[in-house]
Amino acid sequence: MSMALFRDWLLSDAPESRRQAACGRAYRGWLSLRHNPLGMAGLLTIVFLLVVSLGAPLLSTQSPDTQHLTLRLAPPSAAHWLGTDQLGRDLYTRLLYGGRITLGMVVAVVAVVAPLGLVVGAVSGYLGGLADRLMMRVTDIFLSIPQLILALAFVAALTPGITSAIIAIALTAWPPIARLARADALTIRDTDFIAAIRLAGASRTRIILRHVMPLCLPSVIVRITLDMSGIILTAAGLGFLGMGAQPPMPEWGTMIAATRGYILQQWWVPTIPGLAILVASLAFNLLGDGLRDVLDPKQT
Amino acid sequence: MRRLRTLAAGAASVPITLFGLVLITFVIGRIVPIDPVIAIVGDHAPPDVIAHVRAELGLDKPLPVQFLIYVDRLLHGNLGRSVMTTHPVTTDIAHYFPATIELATAAILIALAVGIPLGVFAAARQGSRFDHVVRVLSIGGQSVPVFVLGLIFLLVFYVKLGIAPGTGQQSVIYEGMVPYVTGMHVVDAALSGQWDAFEDGLAHLALPALVLAYYSLGYITRMTRAYMIDALRGEYIVTARAKGLSARRILWRHAFGNIAVGLITVIALAYANLLSGAVLTETVFSWPGLGLYLTVSLLNADMNAVLGATLVVGLVYIGLNLLADLAYRLFDPRVR
């Protein structure tokens, strides 16, 4: 099938199958995202970060833990592109490996939080009644404490480390997603097409899984993309406070905490990982903002 | 009467939320790997002392009973003692919290003074270059880690340019000169008439307040812009324009006047969120507030202090959210 034919198939006004309709919708979304310069900048940055993090062993010539104690805090040079840190480790290499930790944490949190929030929200909104009220009270409670502070208290109880940080961030990140999915489920519940499916004899599970949840997806995707920026900031903040990844792991927040004392003389040592956090978090915010315009124009 | 009832509806969920907050801190306090008894008496205490302290703390009783004891203690305003400072946690919090309020209030005032005009003008010129710049600026505020921005500010304004003082609330020469009245250093200095200490305090407040202000600027600008775009679509704006009113009057009196109520909610939520940002900002600037107290307690595994601070921050957060909700219900006729 030639490209033009494929394009026509995607943009057809009368899709012949569910799959064609879904692909067509995704393609239209892509077309409108492509004309959103900020959103595209975010997307490209994220792809770039993913590539350099995954390719860290290929892109760097050293190990992130090799110490050159005679070369401590060296300024950027041909041998060390971004200089070295307080133990003479290559900053460029550590920055690449740090991306793996940060993006890995984001993926781990989202893998837990997205399905959980979506299911809780969709079930809660569709069923209504007592179950709904109970679940919403639970989300209220989690939403009543600032995310970073709740995460800090959890990590303190669990012993600091990456796993604890992921658990703590996940615990605090699912309620807003559930609230959002519920709000969508509430409006979908009373539509005519759901009534028609119910009349046709579809089970509750089928209605929720096949009909309610897919329609909650757009706003959840937007929210999660924006949340990823928040997850990066919380993870880095935990690392900075000594409650997240522990040294010698090259996590960006931890790297800043370990070298912040050098800000007076070797200012680039703590600043470079700081910029990395900024770039990563900015990229997800820009993409989320762009996706919001594409997927969910009613949100502000 | 009707107004009272809508207010009551808004407050109805608060007791349950409070209960949940207390339950969360209780659970965290119980899953800690540190034995609170050992933390008090030390590793080498004889077994009978350990047993005695354990019974005194009620830790030998079943969990539900322990929870009731915990709630009872909280209701009597007892958050336990901090192992680190040896003071009751309530005393510590009362001592450190005003500095956080001082910082957060300064930050929100700056954020409002900059964020609201930016949002209003961006909405008035929707899609213009100015609008895009404001958009990037506000997304930037939500993306930049406050502790990095804090370090960069210190580097640029303190180290390189030398126009700002370093960390802390005051310079060493004013140490102990200003009597503790409200706990807000700048206010105390003004109250005692020490204007040079007041000026020094303001200078120390500037950098951390600016960092925090940028943190909430994004949210305030974005919400103002969204509300204004909505308001400017109203038919009363067309009428005002047809009457020949000046653009400025339409923008500020007619459109902005109508969104001011919605903004109260935004401001309360932004203020509540500043508490999170304050933890990191205070750590970078050694600002002696609740955030610094919380992080230092965390590093010392001082759980009474950590849970007490978490509880207080949660309370303030719930209070501000309730305030936002009530303001909305009280002033917005469409909700009634």
Side-chain angles (χ1 to χ4, degrees), chain A residues 137-149:
Chain A
R137 278 294 92 83
V138 173
T139 58
D140 269 347
I141 292 165
F142 279 95
L143 287 171
S144 72
I145 312 179
Q147 196 178 21
L148 178 70
I149 289 171

Side-chain angles (χ1 to χ4, degrees), chain A residues 36-38 137-138 140-150 152-159 226 229-230 233 236-243 252-253 256-257 260-261 263-265 267-268 270-271 273-275 277-279 281-283 285-286 289-290 292-293 300, chain B residues 13 16-21 24-25 27-29 31-34 132 135-136 139-140 142-148 151-152 154-155 158-160 215 222-223 226 272-273 275-277 279-280 283-286 294-295 298-299 303 306-307 309-310 313-315 317-318 321:
Chain A
N36 185 319
L38 291 179
R137 278 294 92 83
V138 173
D140 269 347
I141 292 165
F142 279 95
L143 287 171
S144 72
I145 312 179
Q147 196 178 21
L148 178 70
I149 289 171
L150 189 59
L152 275 175
F154 270 119
V155 173
L158 294 169
T159 68
L226 292 170
S229 149
L233 290 181
L238 285 173
F240 178 71
L241 293 173
M243 290 286 137
W252 295 336
I256 298 174
R260 58 184 275 215
I263 187 99
L264 300 187
Q265 276 88 41
W267 56 268
W268 61 88
T271 307
L275 291 179
I277 303 171
L278 171 63
V279 167
S281 140
L282 191 63
N285 261 333
L286 288 175
D289 210 57
R292 172 160 45 200
D293 292 346
T300 45
Chain B
S13 64
I16 305 168
T17 317
L18 284 179
F19 176 79
L21 176 64
I24 288 182
T25 52
V27 170
I28 292 175
I31 55 175
V32 184
I34 313 154
H132 287 300
R135 185 169 179 172
V136 172
I139 292 180
Q142 290 172 326
S143 309
V144 67
V146 279
F147 54 99
V148 174
L151 284 173
I152 292 176
L154 272 177
L155 174 70
Y158 171 54
V159 182
K160 298 281 174 202
Y215 173 72
R222 156 173 264 158
M223 293 309 283
N273 281 323
L275 294 172
S276 259
V279 174
L280 290 160
T283 308
V284 172
F285 286 95
S286 306
L294 179 68
T295 48
L298 270 170
L299 292 174
M303 280 318 279
V306 170
L307 295 181
T310 308
V313 171
L315 277 181
Y317 203 71
I318 294 173
N321 273 297

